[in-house]
Amino acid sequence: MTMTTTNSKTQKITLTIEGMHCAGCVQAVEKSLQQTKGVALASVKLSTEKAQVEYDPDLADKNALIQAVKNAGYDARSEASKVTLKIGGMHCAACVGNVEKALAETDGVQDVRVNLAAEKASLVYDPAETDIAALKTAVENSGYELLGEAEVERPESDSDRELRKVQDAKQRMVVAWAFTVPTMIWMLFVMITGQAWPNVFIHKLGMIVLALPVLLWPGWPTFQSAWNAVTHKSANMDVLIAMGTTASIVTGPLAFFMSISSFAGIAAMIMAFHLTGRYIETKAKGRASEAIKKLLQLGAKSARVLRNGKEKEIPIESVQVGDVMVIRPGEKIPTDGKVVEGESAIDESMATGESMPVHKQPGNHVIGATINQQGRIKVEATKVGKDTFLSQMIQMVEEVQSSKVPIQQFADRVTAIFVPTIVTLALLTFIAWLVFPETLRVIPNWAQQFLPWVNPGIGPITLAIFAFVAVLVIACPCALGLATPTALMVGSGMGAENGILIREGAAIQTLKDVHTIVFDKTGTLTKGQPSVTDIVSSKGYSKEEVIRFTASLETASEHPLAKAIVETAQQNGVALSEVTDFKAVPGKGVSGKLEDKEVLVGTLALMKEFDLDSNQLQTELSRFEADAKTAILTAIDGKVVGALAVADELKEEAVQVIEALHKMGYETAMITGDNQKTAESIAKRLGIDRVLAEVLPHEKVAEIKRLQNEVGKVAMVGDGINDAPALTQADVGIAIGTGTDIAIESADITLVRGDLGSVLSGIRLSLATFRKIKQNLFWAFFYNVVAIPLAIAGLLHPVIAEIAMASSSVTVVSNANFLKRMNIRA
């Protein structure tokens, strides 16, 4: 269970639901939660077995939500960690009471037991609501001391629970088939020979004896689930299977007294195929949720921190902000932090998807769970627990997997009435076959020539039961329920592995309807750092002299353009001279003495102010202006000797990305504070269709609104921090940033890598995921629309119907897993 605050009035909580098997279960849990007072929104996903709930904490709490789930007939499991704290300063029973009270009053603590003799406190707490640091503060505030490190006992992981479910499903399947295979061989022998072996009585009795263990042992949870649903006034897939197998097994005893065929053996076969489908489905769902497992496995389990000048290894849960961690080559960085000593290359592929290591030195930030490849470094922890980048990443993936795509709403409406409708159809089918047997028998008579299992010669009651059971077991609400979430799980998981964090499932559908993609210029289309792109010199001076004099004078300036000029000189090994009499001319340039020469560096306006002639450089200056570059002129002893062009360079991949978006059918636009002429020059170089120039930061939201009114749906790509309001206003906000600096909450899609190529990857992945969702929903509807009428007509054997139903769910889940084969960076 995880909990976050969404605004001042509501909180968001994610509960793990146990006992759900199909879309009907999802509807029942969702309905119960939505009817709870204070709940603003409830979204339940079968594939993740999670419920995401937004609620008003003044009207509801975690316990009320868990009770709502239980009222629907299911269980909600709250994640809990166990920890043992060593307490110092306790002397009597009163001390024990004080410590217990302080800890019990801490949010998230579920159980506290303090032992005076051992001087220890054993706690059970929700890690989503509190952490070791908060527990330590509670102990210290009560007047006692936390000695040593906490002994944390980790709860069973989601992957362990998933493995246990798969093993349980496999065991039930194997046991079911152990009884069903002999049943099938016996039935086959009777079909081939045309005689009941060894006699009719023993054959009928044997079918019942072999079928009952299948229903009452491996199949018992199916009956429990069905009963649970019915008693809570809901219906799920298990209700259909339970009714179908019950009707089949009941014909066994009835066949001794009535002139009907025994379907007892078929009951075992239906349950065996049902359990086989559930096993394959459980396994496939596990593969679909691999992304979360991989992310959880990335985190370090312990950290080596400095305590009193000595290294000490402690559980990761005990690391606190401000701790200095020591990381050797090959080790994981335990948590987000800042390098305080040493240099190294860090493998950040878990966050960015890029395999190239990133150089880090003192002052640089590092991400927890990334790998230190080279040198020994010391890192000061800046974020721990749920605040780390990895934790936010996991939470984001979990949230999107629990969110709903708009196209799913129709499927949800169908699912809500699906099982009751099927039960009604099955009953009507049974009655129709009893009342109008000869009329309905026309279809089986025609079909028996190419469908060997169709036997219109059997009695009307047997035909009625045959069709009744087939209708019940052919219907598949599971396929409808799994269609969207499985594709969303695989797509969001692939994105997380490649530095693409999808925050809202609705964004992947909206993207296909977007008309225009707006790019913020600075830091998105450009590198965000000015650099020298051109150096020109007048007659009698070399380029080396121009950069030497210019950079030497600019060393005394703090202007961003001055820093770019100095960096260029240093990169080219230019020796810089000492400056005297330095003066700054605000907004225009600088002046000073250099090697006994009067040097003036600045804009064309500054040169004109000093009556200096720059005509000999006019051609180059005009070119700089046309290319949207800033010209910095240099004069020595009253003569203009050269000029530098400084610009925020375009990212290398910008042109290719814009071109690719055009091929995908999108219009592109650029929003910038630059003047119209400069902006149009940049847009022309990139091939951008529309220019939104001279837009101040606070005007971006209004500009996006205006564009939405003009063209329809708009996506915006920005840095995720400065552009947060505009990203929120856009129909799809795409934040592009690097490392821990990105603002995850500001956009629908967050791109961890800072390159524009990830924008293409994110859009491609979103569109591919939505295509899979549509394919899955189409298959689920098509299957039911075709299969159910065939069953009503008596053309489907109940066993074949069950095989088809199980295959339908497995097909939907497997189809989603095909996304993994996609190269999203192509």
Side-chain angles (χ1 to χ4, degrees):
M1 184 201 75
T2 57
M3 182 183 293
T4 56
T5 302
T6 55
N7 56 51
S8 58
K9 291 185 178 180
T10 64
Q11 282 188 339
K12 187 185 290 183
I13 187 172
T14 302
L15 297 170
T16 300
I17 311 298
E18 295 182 340
M20 295 194 301
H21 300 297
C22 71
C25 306
V26 171
Q27 291 286 338
V29 175
E30 213 166 66
K31 183 180 178 182
S32 183
L33 284 169
Q34 287 171 344
Q35 290 176 346
T36 303
K37 187 177 180 181
V39 171
L41 178 68
S43 176
V44 182
K45 279 295 174 71
L46 174 63
S47 51
T48 57
E49 296 183 324
K50 305 264 187 194
Q52 192 176 87
V53 188
E54 286 186 27
Y55 67 98
D56 185 340
D58 293 334
L59 300 174
D61 58 18
K62 180 182 68 178
N63 293 330
L65 300 178
I66 291 175
Q67 187 58 48
V69 174
K70 289 181 178 179
N71 290 343
Y74 303 87
D75 287 327
R77 178 173 42 79
S78 174
E79 300 289 356
S81 289
K82 296 180 181 178
V83 64
T84 300
L85 305 175
K86 299 176 182 177
I87 312 295
M90 295 191 300
H91 304 292
C92 63
C95 300
V96 170
N98 292 336
V99 174
E100 279 188 346
K101 182 182 178 183
L103 289 170
E105 290 175 351
T106 304
D107 289 341
V109 173
Q110 299 170 3
D111 185 48
V112 187
R113 294 178 186 178
V114 179
N115 187 312
L116 177 61
E119 293 187 316
K120 289 184 178 181
S122 297
L123 300 93
V124 178
Y125 69 97
D126 186 343
E129 296 185 57
T130 191
D131 54 24
I132 302 298
L135 299 176
K136 179 182 178 183
T137 301
V139 171
E140 291 174 347
N141 288 345
S142 63
Y144 302 90
E145 185 182 2
L146 187 64
L147 301 174
E149 300 300 335
E151 300 169 8
V152 180
E153 181 183 332
R154 293 182 178 85
E156 181 186 31
S157 67
D158 282 346
S159 59
D160 290 337
R161 279 190 291 271
E162 197 72 47
L163 179 61
R164 183 162 46 81
K165 284 180 185 176
V166 172
Q167 289 173 340
D168 181 64
K170 183 179 180 180
Q171 184 182 27
R172 291 185 181 281
M173 176 191 71
V174 169
V175 172
W177 281 111
F179 288 93
T180 303
V181 168
T183 304
M184 293 174 70
I185 294 172
W186 198 351
M187 290 174 70
L188 186 63
F189 177 82
V190 173
M191 288 173 63
I192 294 172
T193 61
Q195 293 182 350
W197 181 86
N199 56 57
V200 174
F201 180 84
I202 293 177
H203 177 254
K204 289 181 179 179
L205 184 62
M207 291 295 104
I208 298 171
V209 170
L210 287 172
L212 280 175
V214 177
L215 303 185
L216 300 179
W217 185 5
W220 186 245
T222 301
F223 287 96
Q224 283 183 314
S225 173
W227 177 254
N228 205 24
V230 171
T231 53
H232 287 87
K233 299 179 181 178
S234 63
N236 59 21
M237 181 69 209
D238 291 332
V239 171
L240 300 180
I241 299 299
M243 287 181 67
T245 52
T246 300
S248 298
I249 194 69
V250 165
T251 61
L254 290 179
F256 286 106
F257 312 105
M258 297 174 63
S259 180
I260 61 172
S261 299
S262 172
F263 288 161
I266 289 174
M269 293 168 67
I270 291 172
M271 184 60 75
F273 278 112
H274 170 65
L275 294 174
T276 301
R278 184 145 290 174
Y279 165 66
I280 298 172
E281 186 184 306
T282 303
K283 204 171 180 182
K285 279 160 61 180
R287 286 199 300 270
S289 61
E290 279 176 356
I292 291 288
K293 299 174 195 172
K294 288 180 180 178
L295 291 173
L296 288 168
Q297 290 167 0
L298 287 174
K301 300 296 184 289
S302 62
R304 194 180 298 105
V305 300
L306 292 177
R307 290 279 194 268
N308 301 319
K310 294 182 179 180
E311 293 182 18
K312 184 173 184 179
E313 190 163 334
I314 63 174
I316 188 65
E317 292 86 353
S318 297
V319 176
Q320 298 179 34
V321 173
D323 279 345
V324 175
M325 304 172 290
V326 180
I327 302 104
R328 295 187 173 88
E331 294 181 342
K332 285 182 181 179
I333 295 172
T335 190
D336 296 355
K338 182 172 66 176
V339 178
V340 293
E341 184 181 310
E343 293 187 25
S344 183
I346 306 297
D347 176 5
E348 294 187 339
S349 58
M350 58 74 61
T352 66
E354 288 292 340
S355 57
M356 288 296 291
V358 182
H359 180 75
K360 299 289 183 179
Q361 58 189 21
N364 291 155
H365 287 274
V366 291
I367 303 172
T370 55
I371 299 172
N372 178 28
Q373 289 194 332
Q374 293 180 353
R376 178 179 181 272
I377 55 174
K378 292 181 180 179
V379 174
E380 180 184 338
T382 56
K383 292 179 181 178
V384 297
K386 60 182 180 292
D387 297 324
T388 63
F389 176 80
L390 179 61
S391 294
Q392 290 184 57
M393 194 173 176
I394 291 170
Q395 181 183 329
M396 197 171 182
V397 174
E398 285 181 334
E399 284 184 3
V400 73
Q401 290 181 354
S402 295
S403 65
K404 290 197 175 183
V405 180
I407 196 174
Q408 190 183 348
Q409 292 174 356
F410 176 67
D412 286 347
R413 288 197 294 271
V414 172
T415 302
I417 60 170
F418 190 89
V419 174
T421 302
I422 294 302
V423 172
T424 303
L425 275 175
L427 290 172
L428 290 174
T429 299
F430 181 76
I431 294 168
W433 273 99
L434 288 178
V435 177
F436 309 107
E438 298 308 317
T439 304
L440 293 174
R441 209 186 292 265
V442 173
I443 300 174
N445 282 332
W446 165 78
Q448 66 177 330
Q449 55 189 323
F450 47 85
L451 295 178
W453 57 80
V454 175
N455 182 10
I458 57 179
I461 297 177
T462 301
L463 274 172
I465 296 172
F466 185 92
F468 172 74
V469 174
V471 171
L472 287 173
V473 299
I474 192 70
C476 188
C478 292
L480 287 170
L482 291 168
T484 299
T486 48
L488 200 57
M489 284 175 72
V490 176
S492 60
M494 281 182 63
E497 292 172 13
N498 289 276
I500 302 164
L501 304 180
I502 303 172
R503 181 167 167 259
E504 287 293 338
I508 69 169
Q509 179 171 339
T510 307
L511 259 176
K512 80 172 181 61
D513 299 321
V514 162
H515 180 277
T516 303
I517 298 178
V518 181
F519 290 86
D520 178 53
K521 189 202 81 171
T522 306
T524 303
L525 292 171
T526 66
K527 294 180 179 178
Q529 296 178 336
S531 60
V532 176
T533 60
D534 303 83
I535 302 173
V536 295
S537 60
S538 302
K539 190 175 180 181
Y541 285 85
S542 66
K543 292 181 180 181
E544 288 74 14
E545 287 178 300
V546 173
I547 187 65
R548 181 167 62 83
F549 277 97
T550 307
S552 295
L553 186 59
E554 293 284 22
T555 54
S557 173
E558 295 181 357
H559 195 280
L561 297 186
K563 293 179 180 178
I565 294 169
V566 173
E567 282 180 8
T568 300
Q570 291 172 340
Q571 288 168 3
N572 288 278
V574 176
L576 304 181
S577 304
E578 195 73 31
V579 180
T580 58
D581 297 335
F582 176 84
K583 292 179 182 176
V585 183
K588 295 181 179 178
V590 293
S591 64
K593 250 184 183 179
L594 190 66
E595 299 176 6
D596 293 325
K597 298 178 186 292
E598 293 287 343
V599 182
L600 183 68
V601 174
T603 63
L604 180 61
L606 182 63
M607 299 299 137
K608 288 179 178 179
E609 193 175 303
F610 281 83
D611 295 324
L612 299 181
D613 182 17
S614 59
N615 286 336
Q616 57 184 312
L617 298 175
Q618 191 57 49
T619 302
E620 285 81 3
L621 295 178
S622 298
R623 178 170 60 84
F624 292 166
E625 184 179 6
D627 291 342
K629 297 177 180 178
T630 301
I632 305 294
L633 288 76
T634 302
I636 299 176
D637 289 336
K639 180 184 178 182
V640 176
V641 299
L644 282 72
V646 180
D648 186 358
E649 286 188 283
L650 295 173
K651 291 180 178 178
E652 290 82 359
E653 69 277 13
V655 174
Q656 290 87 345
V657 169
I658 298 300
E659 184 180 343
L661 290 174
H662 286 156
K663 288 180 180 177
M664 294 168 72
Y666 293 110
E667 179 191 65
T668 55
M670 180 181 73
I671 190 166
T672 177
D674 292 345
N675 64 62
Q676 190 71 31
K677 186 175 180 181
T678 300
E680 286 178 353
S681 172
I682 295 172
K684 186 177 180 181
R685 288 165 59 193
L686 290 170
I688 285 178
D689 305 308
R690 188 187 293 259
V691 175
L692 310 173
E694 300 177 29
V695 180
L696 297 175
H698 67 276
E699 297 173 336
K700 288 182 180 179
V701 171
E703 197 65 26
I704 294 295
K705 283 183 181 177
R706 185 192 65 76
L707 190 59
Q708 286 170 323
N709 292 332
E710 181 181 340
V711 303
K713 293 192 184 298
V714 170
M716 179 173 175
V717 184
D719 61 17
I721 301 171
N722 301 326
D723 299 318
L727 288 170
T728 303
Q729 174 60 40
D731 297 284
V732 179
I734 303 175
I736 183 168
T738 53
T740 55
D741 295 330
I742 59 176
I744 284 179
E745 289 297 321
S746 65
D748 302 301
I749 300 174
T750 302
L751 308 170
V752 182
R753 303 200 318 268
D755 65 280
L756 278 172
S758 60
V759 175
L760 263 185
S761 298
I763 292 173
R764 282 191 177 119
L765 176 63
S766 297
L767 294 177
T769 302
F770 184 67
R771 280 197 299 271
K772 283 297 176 190
I773 289 173
K774 284 203 300 183
Q775 289 172 11
N776 278 350
L777 284 173
F778 172 79
W779 163 250
F781 278 111
F782 177 78
Y783 163 81
N784 282 291
V785 167
V786 172
I788 294 171
L790 291 175
I792 292 172
L795 300 182
L796 287 180
H797 192 285
V799 173
I800 293 174
E802 177 55 33
I803 294 172
M805 187 281 294
S807 300
S808 179
S809 294
V810 173
T811 299
V812 163
V813 178
S814 300
N815 187 42
N817 281 306
F818 271 105
L819 269 173
K820 294 180 180 178
R821 300 184 183 182
M822 175 190 171
N823 180 10
I824 62 175
R825 299 201 192 180

